[in-house]
Amino acid sequence: MRLAPIAALACAALLAFAGSASAQSFSVTTTADNSNPCTPTACSLRAALAAADAHAGTDNVTIPLGHYVLTSGQLLTDPADQGTLNVVGHSARDTIIDANGQSRVWYINEGTVNVSHVTITGGVARGDDPLDAGQGGGIFMNDDVMTLDHVAVVGNKALADPTNGGQGGGIFANEPMTITNSVVSGNIADGTGASFSGGQGGGIWVNEPVDMTNVTVSDNEAKPAVGATNPDSQGGGVWVNETSTWKHVTIAGNRSSGALDNAAGGVFINEDMTIENSLVAGNTVDGAPQNCVLDFGTITEQGHNLQGTGGCGFTAPGDITGDAKLGALANNGGETDTQALLTGSPAINAAGANVCTATDQRDLPRPALGGCDIGAFEVQAAVAPPPNPPATKDTTKPK
């Protein structure tokens, strides 16, 4: 679905109060967190979402740049008509929705929800939360479908309930999700204190398909439940339960704990997968290299994937096993952080041209150096330094 541009939404803001049965738009005007009725001149993010819930059909919420700290608990989206909600920020680098460690960031119970150009951070899904305890520290999505584009889901936690470890430190999805041009990093699914199972899906836990293109999943962790019946944590980066397609995805530097054939430092897969031009490397279980665990189903790969030390079964033409030579997660341009391919990386110019996307995660062009690169980051041609300024003639008189 094409999301309306920010300018168009801003111009349409007054329509939200015209009583029209058509799509309505609500513009956030304050970083304060309150539930006061939304008006054209005073509307918090929480109030805008509530107003959208109350309106049948399609709704657009625009969020200007700012740091939106939640002081009244998690945001809630639960439209009675299961309509469509488009939420558009200014940029993932400067539109920050922050639960400040006090609650989950966003609970989405119904509807088609499209979110773009924001950061979701500081969320904690507590083990005693009355709304789906211990699931989705940043985002909990129950129904119907959700898309994330140019979104950063960073620094969130899902804590254990008394029985089960946390699921989806960054994202928990019970229904299909599509993620593009985004990063999921620094999230934790914690198993501490659970009696039955460890944490699952440090970055992402999905019960239905999660299709990803130009996405980095990095530095997430699933923690074990020491002394539990099933203490292993599973899927430091991603835990996925249904058939999904990943294209130009980088999954690196994620961690879990337990048996190497069960814990899955990078990806725990419970169903068939299609993986194209993607990179899974540098993930660990208790410090030992381990990238993938395929519990059920099969991986259908189009070739031209890279696995760090094996484990993902990449054996098609063009596949690579070895050191990916990745840089640290950093601001390399664009709205969301990426891991650069360093000089000599075997991923450079090694992706399949037939499934090469037009741009990378940063919206920079592919291919850039004669061939398409594996993963979410495309190495660009070096920019020539500007010429030296002309020498200044010495006009001083000799002494």
Side-chain angles (χ1 to χ4, degrees):
M1 174 174 290
R2 184 187 297 270
L3 300 184
I6 294 174
L9 292 178
C11 292
L14 292 180
L15 294 179
F17 308 93
S20 169
S22 61
Q24 293 194 356
S25 298
F26 304 87
S27 291
V28 175
T29 63
T30 177
T31 58
D33 183 23
N34 61 61
S35 300
N36 298 336
C38 189
T39 72
T41 57
C43 187
S44 70
L45 174 57
R46 189 178 300 276
L49 294 175
D53 271 0
H55 171 252
T58 299
D59 297 285
N60 304 311
V61 172
T62 55
I63 313 173
L65 61 87
H67 192 167
Y68 298 81
V69 178
L70 304 182
T71 58
S72 301
Q74 61 196 345
L75 300 173
L76 177 64
T77 293
D78 191 11
D81 68 323
Q82 299 182 351
T84 296
L85 173 66
N86 301 318
V87 177
V88 183
H90 179 264
S91 165
R93 296 221 179 264
D94 59 30
T95 306
I96 301 167
I97 306 173
D98 184 356
N100 199 31
Q102 302 304 303
S103 67
R104 178 189 287 117
V105 178
W106 202 345
Y107 187 93
I108 298 165
N109 195 44
E110 297 282 355
T112 297
V113 179
N114 306 308
V115 180
S116 59
H117 309 293
V118 301
T119 286
I120 303 292
T121 192
V124 178
R126 301 191 180 281
D128 59 355
D129 191 315
L131 294 176
D132 296 279
Q135 295 177 321
I139 296 171
F140 177 97
M141 192 276 285
N142 193 48
D143 204 17
D144 293 323
V145 66
M146 187 172 192
T147 66
L148 301 177
D149 179 59
H150 293 87
V151 170
V153 181
V154 299
N156 304 283
K157 297 180 182 179
L159 304 182
D161 66 23
T163 303
N164 299 304
Q167 295 177 316
I171 299 167
F172 178 98
N174 255 334
E175 296 297 335
M177 176 173 281
T178 298
I179 308 175
T180 55
N181 307 306
S182 296
V183 64
V184 179
S185 67
N187 304 287
I188 297 172
D190 197 349
T192 303
S195 64
F196 183 74
S197 62
Q200 295 178 322
I204 303 170
W205 190 101
V206 283
N207 200 35
E208 295 290 340
V210 56
D211 294 334
M212 298 194 290
T213 302
N214 285 332
V215 174
T216 297
V217 181
S218 175
D219 192 32
N220 302 284
E221 183 175 9
K223 291 186 175 182
V226 177
T229 304
N230 299 290
D232 294 356
S233 55
Q234 295 177 319
V238 183
W239 193 101
V240 57
N241 201 38
E242 285 293 340
T243 302
S244 304
T245 298
W246 296 353
K247 182 185 297 185
H248 284 293
V249 173
T250 293
I251 299 178
N254 303 286
R255 305 173 299 283
S256 65
S257 179
L260 286 175
D261 61 352
N262 186 54
V267 186
F268 187 93
I269 299 170
N270 243 346
E271 191 48 272
D272 296 345
M273 294 285 298
T274 298
I275 301 178
E276 308 168 336
N277 288 355
S278 292
L279 187 159
V280 187
N283 304 286
T284 58
V285 172
D286 293 323
Q290 209 277 2
N291 294 304
C292 301
V293 166
L294 181 61
D295 199 34
F296 293 102
T298 59
I299 292 179
T300 301
E301 49 150 338
Q302 305 298 316
H304 306 280
N305 296 303
L306 187 154
Q307 57 188 351
T309 55
C312 297
F314 295 164
T315 59
D319 284 343
I320 299 168
T321 297
D323 183 0
K325 295 187 177 179
L326 287 172
L329 188 70
N331 181 353
N332 296 304
E335 290 190 37
T336 54
D337 287 356
T338 52
Q339 289 188 256
L341 299 176
L342 304 179
T343 301
S345 170
I348 297 173
N349 296 340
N354 60 321
V355 289
C356 180
T357 57
T359 57
D360 73 356
Q361 183 180 317
R362 302 166 296 160
D363 297 313
L364 295 179
R366 293 185 192 266
L369 295 176
C372 199
D373 298 346
I374 294 173
F377 181 95
E378 183 79 9
V379 177
Q380 302 293 307
V383 178
N388 293 326
T392 302
K393 185 178 181 181
D394 185 0
T395 58
T396 60
K397 295 181 179 180
K399 294 182 180 179

